[in-house]
Structure formats: C-alpha cells, structure tokens
Amino acid sequence: MLKSVFRLASAIALTLAVTHAAYATAPPNMVPPNVVLADNQELVRHYGSEAASIDPAMCESVQEALVDADLFEGLTRADNAGQIQPGVAESWQRTDPTTWIFKLRHDAKWSNGVPITAADFIYAWQRVVDPKTASVYTILISFVANAKAILAGALPPSKLGVRALDPYTLEVKTESPVPFLAAMVSNPVLAPVYRPAVEKFGNEWTKPDHLVGNGAFTLHYWSPNDKLVVVKNPWYWNAAHVVLNAVDWIPIDNNDTATKQFESGQLDMTYELPPGSYASLKAKYGNQVHIAPQSANYFFALNVHDPALKDVRVREALSMVIDRDTLVKRILGDGELPSADLMPIKVEGASPTPRDWESLPMDKRIAAARQLLAAAGYSAQKPLTLKYSYNTTDINKLVGLYVLSEWRNKLGVQGTMENQEWKVFIQTRHDGTFQVARHGWSADYNDATTYLDLVRCGSDSNDMKYCNPKVDALIAQGGNETDTLKRTALLTQADRLAMSEYPIIPLYQRVTARLVRSYVGGYTDLDPLDRVPSQDLYIIKH
Amino acid sequence: MFAYTIRRLLFAVPTILAVVTICYVMVHITPGGPFDLERKLPPAVLANLQAKYHLDESPLQQYFYYLGRLLHGDLGASFKYTDWTVNELVAKALPVSLAVGGLSVPISMVIGIAIGTVAAVRRNSAIDYLVSALGNVGNAVPSFVLGPVLILVFALLLQDSHGVGLLPAGGWGGWRFRVLPITLLTIVNVATISRVMRGSLLEVLTSSFIRTARAKGLPERTVILRHAMRPALMPVLSLFTSIALSSITAAIVTETVFSLPGLGQLIINGAINRDYTLVLGLVVLVTAIAVLFNLIVDLLYAVVDPRIRY
C-alpha cells in the first residue's frame, strides 16, 4: 500500500515537473482603477541607434527587439515586469523534457484580419534558420531540434524540429532540455511573419505600406534616423487592453542629445543616460530617473594562452586587487553593481558565487596577490607587463585607466593601453591577438547558459580561448537535467569551476538607467532584460 | 560658355570614377568588415551573406559589378540597414541636408558678404572690431560647443509652463526643427565668409583703379558697389564649394548635435559599420555635388570678373 502511494506520488510529481509551464493565465497588466488617463495617448520613446532592420528574422539588437515587440508577437510575450504572458499561444505544455506543445488562440489575427495559425510559426522559424536568409541572430533558434545542422548547411530547413499537429497546435522539439523555452519564444526573432507579404515584396516587406504584423501596434511611418511610428492595431487579439494609440520611436545615437530632447519636452522616455550623468539628473528629475539591474556584465577578457597570463595565479592576483566598490561608486557612479563573478544577479539557472577573497580587507588581498605573483616568478626587478586593448569609448578608457592604476599601485604591474575602433577591436578579440581586452555580455535569454557559453570550449563567444572539459561536462550535464534545482546546482558548479581559473576579470553588472516621465504609467524596473513593451504603458492625465 | 560647360561635365565622369576607385580600395583595405560582429556568425550564414553582397568574388569582379550597378543608377543594398537600399537611404537623407545646409549657404553668403563689406568700409571702427570679434568667436568656438549652447538657451532655458522648449533640442519636423541647425551652420559659415570678404575688399580698396575712381570724384557708394565689390567677391566665390559641401553633405557635427536624419549621419554610420555600399554611394554623391558646385563657381567667376571668358 505504502509502495503504491509512493508510486502514485512519484507519478504526480513527474507529471507536474513535465507540465509545469501549462496554462499561464495571469492577466496582462491593467490600468489601476484610480488612474485617470490622458486624452492624448501618444508616447514618444527614444531607442538608441536606428534599427538595422525590423524584419524579425534580422532582429539582433536590443533596440530592434523593442520595436519588433510592438509589431510582432510570438507564442508568448514578456510583460512590463519581465513576466512571461500568453501571446499567440494561449497555453503550453512540456510533454517530455524536449517536447513542447503550444495551443494557439483562435482569435489571434494578422493586422489585415487573416487568422494566425501554426503554419505561420513554422514558416517564420524555418526562415530564421535557413542560411539563405542569413539571419545574424540565430542563437535562439539553435535550441530547436536540428537547427544547428540546418545552420551548418547539413540539413534542409524543412527538417527543423517544429510541426503543426493541427492549425492551432504547434509542437516544438528541442535539441536538449530547454526549461526556459516558453520565455525564449517571447523574443521577436521567433515571432511569426506573414508569408504572403514576405514572398510578394521580398526585402521591401518591412516598409509601412507592405508590413503585416500581429503585434499590439502596426507600422505607420518609418524614415531611417528620423523616426518610426507605430499605431494601435485594431486586429490585435488583446487590443481592448492596449491603451496607447501611437508610439513614436526616435532613434538618436548620442545619449547626451537624447537627454536634451527629454529636457526640452520632446521625449517621454530615453533609452539610456549619458555616462556619469546619473547624479545630476537625479537631483533635477528625482524619481523620473530609473535605475534597475540589467542582465548584463562588464569584464576584462584575459587571453589564457598569452605567456604572461597562462599562469592562473597571475590571473587570480590581477582580479583580487581591484577595488570594485570604488570603481562603481566613485569612477562610474551610474548605479552599476560591483561583481567578481561571471553570473549577474537575477539570472535564472545559476547563482553568482562570491570569491573567497572578496570578504578579506584590501591589504590582505594585496598581500595574497603579491605572493601569487611572486610564486609565478614576478618581482620588482622582473615586473609583469600587460597591454589592455579596448574599443574607443569614454567609459572603456576610464575603466581601463582605473584598473591599470590599481594593478600598478598594488602589484607594480606595468600596463599600457591601446584603443581601437570597434570593428578593428572585435577582430583583435576574435583573433586572440590581445592580452587583456574589454568585454561585456548582455543576456540573450534569461538563463545561466547564455553566460556559460562564454567559457565553453570552442564556443564562438569564447574569445579568451579558455577550455576546461570539466566545465563543459557540467554545462552539458546541467543542460540535460530536467530537475530545476539539480540543474541550477550543476550550472552554478560549472560557473564556480570556470571562474576559479579566472579566464575573465569581472568588474561590474550593468544597469538600465533612463529618464521616464512621471506621467508614463505601467513602467517598472523589474525586467532584467529591459523589454518594456509599449502595450503595457499608458499616459496618465497630467 | 555652353561648350565649356559640356566639357566640364564630361570631365566629371573620369573624376567620379577616380574618386570611386580610390575610395573602393580604401574601404576594402580598412581592417574589419561589415560582418565582424560581437558574436561570430555561423560559417554557412556568413557564406550566404558574402554571396548576397558579392563579397565571395574577387576584388576586381566586385569592383566591376559595383561600377555596372552604378551606371544603372543603383547604389546597391545597404550592408547594415538591410531593409533599405542605399538609393532609398540617400533619398530620405538628402532633402534633410538640403533643407538645412542648402538654406544656410545662401543666408551665410548674404550675411557674410554684407558684414564683411561693412567692416572693410568702416575699417578700424567699432563695427569693424565687433565683426572681427564675432568672426573670431565663430571660427574659434567649435560647432560641438556652440550647438549645445544654442540648445541650452533656446530649448532648455526658454521653456513654456509645460516644460516645452521654445525650439526643439533636435530631431526633424517642421520649420521649428530647422531654426537652430541652420543658425549654427550659418554662424560658422558667416565667420569665415565675412573675414575673407573683409580682407579681400580691403585689398581691392588699395588698388590703383579704386584710387582712379575716387580721383574721378565718384561717390564712395559707387566706388564700393560698382568697382570694388566685384573683384573682392572672387576669393569668397572660391570658398563657396567648400562651404556648400561642408554644410550640405558633411555637416556631421551639426547633424549629430541636433540628431538630424541627414547625409552626415549616414556617412558616420556607414564608416562605423563598414557599410561598403553606403560609404561608396555617399562618396559618389558628394563627388558629383562637388563637381557641380565647382562648375557653378567657375561659371560665376566669368560673371563677376570681366577678364574671364570661357
């Protein structure tokens, strides 16, 4: 009897584990009842540099994703708090570790009124994975079964692990267990596209006259470097809950210029504060200045094959002596969070691990670091010399000067700095012709594996050329684990092991810092991936 | 003059070809390519991208392919802005640059010549010192300082009760968006033009034919306007091409400060992104405009200076 109860309990637990994501039914964020809305519901948002493309298959940058999230909706969508809400799929279920079933809503329509079916997703996903499309952002589709082989040209796009069980049921098979799939499919790169428009207009299909989308808004006007205007889409299935009538997306490369346009009353929201401006803007604009931790970090990449840096003791010594608190509070001062780990806080799937030396006072850290350097054969007579390469920006220069001065003052390291234009720099880093290089990473999706990819052997993102098969084994083991707790433990262990060998010197976690008018309702600081869809925003009477 | 114009226009073809060729070589030998991205592309994707833009062909084949398209008036597809062709990008940006730079140049010419003339005629007077001082300020203070000062005053300090600036701090739209950029360009241009005009007129005023005119008893107004002005305008005319080009096609600082969607923005983005077709397309455009302006100036020389005949 006891045995059968145990068996039953195990079966229920397994079923729950496998179908845990089913039926996300939380309602979208609504306007609180006491809020009086403004008559004019037109929002003016700054979005950094101009979008290179608004075709979801080409959607690579954060800015492009912001605009595309207004125009296209995937199976799910991220709300203003970063929570995953039903999108075109009204429910989903993980039927086994690598199989997901998405049930599409019957009232989801294109902006021309045509119903959206599973075939639209299959077409869009096959288009993204097809090397002929030449999408520059294929990291997300790579999780779907066979995608890597298709991207390598070994299989046709039709072999992608996605199929329609019926017009409103989509089955997705993944290469390995992907617990974050429901969140990942909210990214616009995996949104459906309207096949007749793509096939009829080719490259021209994203023009205002041709574009057919399925988001809360449709494209009304777009002139490059000037503005992109979207207006409310009456065919959107949840249009009743969309308050804004229009959003003007303003591309401005320079954050100083954008801030001035906010100050002159032209913009309701900026994308980013200019470096070093937080304190003065905070004094002037108070709670209209928003700071929130972002799932993005800033670090120095170490070339682990460089003769001076191949000794792990040297790499550890260099990391130990940097006073990161002073860096973020006195040098940067825009709310960044000090970090000595690859994992930022708020990342799903792993916890950041503090280094042992972080709790020590600085003088003890310096003494220990000096011992490590001495053991590696460096002394006052034979000092360590290093070159720091960075792409030319004020922040990179400032951080470089600070870290090099820390190394010189505390360890006698003789450092030089070399700035390079971005494209030259990225070549230098990919080619491994550097000693210490500026690096940073923004999460592609909210899971630890997006960061662990940086330290995986042979990964395209691993410019340090660091490789420890044990780390890879832990990442693979964690990747195949369906138990969330065990998975987190394995991936945390992978991070801890990799970071104990210091292929990088983490410095800080980046923040989202922007100006938002107090009359913009629905804005929160809760999403570490900083998506803030316009459909959850509204303008309060002011 | 007609034959001369035709000859000059025909000469423009080899000029543009030479500039395109030099620029083509330069963009291709510049380190870093359009597809060097933070995350490396899968090899099959990269191969398709290179095939799409003909980068998988030999440099010579690519060059002739580009020239072939150019002859058809097709500047190609942008490498970075994949939703747009270079023709479309230029067609959107050129009117903006013309509306700002194109208006600033004649305004600058009129004001610059007028105050340069007044300063020369009233040499060493208070007005002369004032013009010189303003000219020096205009030349010495860079646009990236003067621009933000204009924004500070007219967009941030002078605001209505809703916190909206008297003029926009940047962006593009109706006439209100054009006032500050045109003002900035004009201040910079006037500083140069007035200085050259003043110096040139002063030199002309010491010539013997002016002495003769005065000796004949001609009124000073006639001496200046009928006799001195025309030869004094020659150096100013020489300035025209460089001022027009820097105001219309390469007002990079002005366009950045005011975030104008003009040609200057495209030039910067094209270079940063190694957008080969965009950079080459803009070079063709700028060269063509330069050739045209040079021709106009040369024809104007003949109008101003009776000794010049074509």
Side-chain angles (χ1 to χ4, degrees):
Chain A
M1 174 71 184
L2 194 65
K3 219 175 191 177
S4 60
V5 168
F6 181 73
R7 267 195 205 134
L8 181 65
S10 305
I12 292 170
L14 183 69
T15 313
L16 283 177
V18 168
T19 61
H20 66 97
Y23 297 96
T25 50
N29 286 279
M30 310 277 279
V31 180
N34 55 341
V35 165
V36 181
L37 292 171
D39 294 336
N40 181 12
Q41 289 293 331
E42 184 174 348
L43 185 73
V44 187
R45 293 180 75 169
H46 166 220
Y47 72 121
S49 303
E50 177 61 278
S53 168
I54 54 170
D55 181 340
M58 301 296 167
C59 174
E60 186 212 5
S61 70
V62 179
Q63 289 94 328
E64 285 149 18
L66 278 172
V67 175
D68 273 352
D70 277 3
L71 298 171
F72 301 93
E73 183 176 79
L75 292 165
T76 60
R77 75 174 191 93
D79 68 13
N80 53 355
Q83 297 300 311
I84 296 305
Q85 303 289 354
V88 177
E90 57 186 358
S91 67
W92 51 91
Q93 200 172 17
R94 191 179 180 184
T95 53
D96 71 48
T98 56
T99 308
W100 295 69
I101 304 289
F102 290 87
K103 288 276 180 197
L104 274 48
R105 61 180 75 250
H106 289 244
D107 56 347
K109 292 193 169 62
W110 291 104
S111 53
N112 58 2
V114 174
I116 299 168
T117 64
D120 293 316
F121 282 91
I122 295 170
Y123 171 70
W125 289 21
Q126 288 180 351
R127 185 169 170 264
V128 175
V129 80
D130 188 346
K132 284 201 189 83
T133 308
S135 166
V136 292
Y137 193 67
T138 54
I139 186 79
L140 301 185
I141 196 78
S142 304
F143 287 101
V144 180
N146 293 337
K148 285 178 186 141
I150 299 167
L151 280 167
L155 282 177
S158 57
K159 295 288 178 196
L160 188 69
V162 54
R163 65 185 176 125
L165 301 182
D166 66 56
Y168 293 96
T169 310
L170 188 74
E171 181 195 74
V172 180
K173 289 222 174 252
T174 55
E175 201 87 44
S176 57
V178 182
F180 48 89
L181 188 89
M184 197 183 83
V185 295
S186 69
N187 190 299
V189 79
L190 298 178
V193 292
Y194 187 62
R195 187 173 190 157
V198 177
E199 289 183 345
K200 184 173 176 194
F201 300 109
N203 255 8
E204 295 282 304
W205 83 272
T206 52
K207 298 288 162 59
D209 293 342
H210 305 153
L211 189 136
V212 176
N214 72 325
F217 300 88
T218 56
L219 184 61
H220 174 67
Y221 173 85
W222 187 21
S223 184
N225 292 323
D226 177 8
K227 68 174 145 184
L228 184 149
V229 181
V230 300
V231 295
K232 190 172 169 176
N233 173 12
W235 290 102
Y236 180 54
W237 65 270
N238 202 19
H241 290 118
V242 178
V243 180
L244 291 177
N245 289 324
V247 182
D248 291 6
W249 289 95
I250 311 291
I252 305 169
D253 281 336
N254 187 306
N255 290 325
D256 262 319
T257 306
T259 302
K260 289 198 179 76
Q261 292 194 17
F262 180 89
E263 293 188 280
S264 71
Q266 292 172 256
L267 297 174
D268 296 322
M269 289 170 71
T270 63
Y271 178 63
E272 227 171 12
L273 298 184
S277 65
Y278 171 72
S280 60
L281 289 171
K282 184 79 186 166
K284 195 169 174 189
Y285 290 103
N287 59 9
Q288 295 187 91
V289 178
H290 288 254
I291 293 276
Q294 205 183 96
S295 192
N297 55 16
Y298 187 108
F299 57 87
F300 280 4
L302 302 178
N303 186 344
V304 297
H305 297 293
D306 182 83
L309 292 166
K310 67 182 177 197
D311 189 329
V312 68
R313 291 170 298 187
V314 174
R315 306 201 295 260
E316 182 174 9
L318 292 172
S319 190
M320 280 169 88
V321 296
I322 300 166
D323 181 349
R324 292 165 172 85
D325 284 323
T326 302
L327 172 66
V328 299
K329 287 189 186 131
R330 300 283 172 84
I331 309 291
L332 301 169
D334 286 338
E336 296 85 353
L337 304 166
S339 163
D341 194 61
L342 171 63
M343 292 295 157
I345 57 165
K346 280 191 159 188
V347 72
E348 304 276 337
S351 317
T353 309
R355 307 267 85 76
D356 293 341
W357 45 259
E358 279 187 79
S359 55
L360 296 176
M362 186 49 82
D363 54 343
K364 291 208 168 137
R365 280 155 65 172
I366 296 170
R370 283 180 180 160
Q371 276 183 359
L372 286 170
L373 273 194
Y378 293 100
S379 60
Q381 289 73 38
K382 191 197 163 205
L384 173 64
T385 58
L386 285 175
K387 187 165 82 177
Y388 162 64
S389 307
Y390 65 102
N391 58 303
T392 318
T393 70
D394 289 344
I395 287 285
N396 293 343
K397 187 176 178 183
L398 205 59
V399 174
L401 283 169
Y402 175 76
V403 173
L404 260 58
S405 74
E406 288 279 271
W407 289 346
R408 188 181 59 242
N409 296 338
K410 294 174 178 172
L411 299 174
V413 173
Q414 293 182 353
T416 52
M417 294 176 54
E418 178 191 50
N419 65 319
Q420 295 178 333
E421 186 266 349
W422 170 248
K423 290 278 186 184
V424 179
F425 172 73
I426 207 73
Q427 240 184 9
T428 302
R429 220 176 60 195
H430 287 334
D431 293 346
T433 52
F434 68 93
Q435 282 191 295
V436 181
R438 184 214 69 88
H439 206 320
W441 202 249
S442 297
D444 293 295
Y445 47 91
N446 193 1
D447 186 73
T449 48
T450 188
Y451 291 100
L452 288 169
D453 210 34
L454 289 164
V455 291
R456 208 168 36 78
C457 300
S459 155
D460 279 344
S461 310
N462 183 349
D463 288 339
M464 292 71 68
K465 308 285 187 277
Y466 164 81
C467 180
N468 181 345
K470 284 184 190 159
V471 172
D472 280 19
L474 285 166
I475 297 172
Q477 219 181 321
N480 284 314
E481 182 56 61
T482 49
D483 181 295
T484 311
L485 287 178
K486 281 186 191 162
R487 183 178 185 275
T488 303
L490 285 164
L491 296 181
T492 303
Q493 217 181 323
D495 168 54
R496 194 180 305 145
L497 179 56
M499 288 311 295
S500 69
E501 297 183 319
Y502 297 90
I504 66 166
I505 298 181
L507 293 170
Y508 60 87
Q509 181 173 349
R510 297 181 57 192
V511 287
T512 302
R514 68 165 54 103
L515 286 155
V516 182
R517 297 263 179 230
S518 46
Y519 56 70
V520 176
Y523 185 87
T524 80
D525 295 320
L526 298 172
D527 183 10
L529 264 59
D530 186 31
R531 287 164 287 198
V532 199
S534 303
Q535 68 166 293
D536 293 331
L537 302 178
Y538 49 88
I539 297 176
I540 302 164
K541 193 168 179 140
H542 56 280
Chain B
M1 189 181 268
F2 178 72
Y4 173 79
T5 307
I6 296 297
R7 207 162 55 238
R8 284 287 301 268
L9 286 175
L10 285 176
F11 271 125
V13 176
T15 308
I16 292 173
L17 189 67
V19 173
V20 167
T21 308
I22 293 167
C23 194
Y24 178 86
V25 173
M26 281 171 69
V27 295
H28 280 81
I29 59 171
T30 305
F35 308 122
D36 284 321
L37 306 172
E38 175 104 41
R39 189 198 305 276
K40 283 189 215 160
L41 294 172
V45 171
L46 184 61
N48 272 296
L49 274 171
Q50 288 179 325
K52 181 178 169 190
Y53 293 102
H54 298 267
L55 293 179
D56 54 343
E57 295 168 8
S58 74
L60 210 59
Q61 278 176 310
Q62 287 179 53
Y63 174 69
F64 283 113
Y65 174 78
Y66 183 77
L67 285 188
R69 304 303 317 159
L70 192 59
L71 281 177
H72 291 88
D74 178 4
L75 299 173
S78 165
F79 281 63
K80 171 77 177 176
Y81 302 105
T82 50
D83 295 0
W84 305 91
T85 63
V86 174
N87 289 43
E88 286 173 327
L89 290 171
V90 168
K92 295 261 185 194
L94 185 60
V96 176
S97 293
L98 278 176
V100 174
L103 199 56
S104 163
V105 173
I107 295 174
S108 310
M109 280 287 177
V110 170
I111 298 177
I113 290 169
I115 65 175
T117 306
V118 172
V121 172
R122 303 270 169 86
R123 190 182 180 186
N124 294 337
S125 69
I127 204 160
D128 182 23
Y129 291 133
L130 182 69
V131 168
S132 299
L134 288 176
N136 285 337
V137 169
N139 275 316
V141 181
S143 307
F144 59 80
V145 173
L146 208 50
V149 169
L150 289 174
I151 291 173
L152 181 70
V153 175
F154 293 100
L156 306 188
L157 293 179
L158 299 173
Q159 292 192 334
D160 65 14
S161 57
H162 301 290
V164 177
L166 179 67
L167 290 168
W172 191 237
W175 67 268
R176 293 178 67 245
F177 289 84
R178 304 170 193 207
V179 175
L180 291 183
I182 290 175
T183 306
L184 174 61
L185 276 176
T186 305
I187 290 173
V188 175
N189 290 342
V190 162
T192 308
I193 297 167
S194 63
R195 197 164 40 87
V196 171
M197 184 64 200
R198 177 184 176 274
S200 169
L201 188 57
L202 281 177
E203 203 182 316
V204 171
L205 286 174
T206 58
S207 313
S208 26
F209 74 93
I210 296 293
R211 226 179 8 254
T212 309
R214 282 181 176 147
K216 282 199 295 185
L218 290 177
E220 189 62 13
R221 173 190 291 264
T222 313
V223 171
I224 303 288
L225 295 180
R226 295 267 325 255
H227 297 274
M229 277 292 270
R230 280 169 68 168
L233 277 174
M234 295 296 279
V236 177
L237 271 184
S238 309
L239 271 181
F240 176 81
T241 305
S242 64
I243 283 184
L245 282 179
S246 66
S247 304
I248 297 170
T249 58
I252 291 171
V253 176
T254 307
E255 291 191 9
T256 305
V257 168
F258 294 103
S259 70
L260 300 178
L263 294 169
Q265 286 274 0
L266 287 185
I267 289 173
I268 300 178
N269 293 339
I272 290 173
N273 298 318
R274 304 291 189 276
D275 197 334
Y276 296 153
T277 41
L278 182 56
V279 170
L280 284 171
L282 292 168
V283 165
V284 171
L285 179 77
V286 173
T287 313
I289 294 177
V291 167
L292 188 70
F293 284 167
N294 274 331
L295 177 63
I296 293 172
V297 167
D298 284 350
L299 295 177
L300 281 176
Y301 279 148
V303 175
V304 174
D305 189 341
R307 290 169 300 179
I308 297 174
R309 284 287 171 267
Y310 296 117

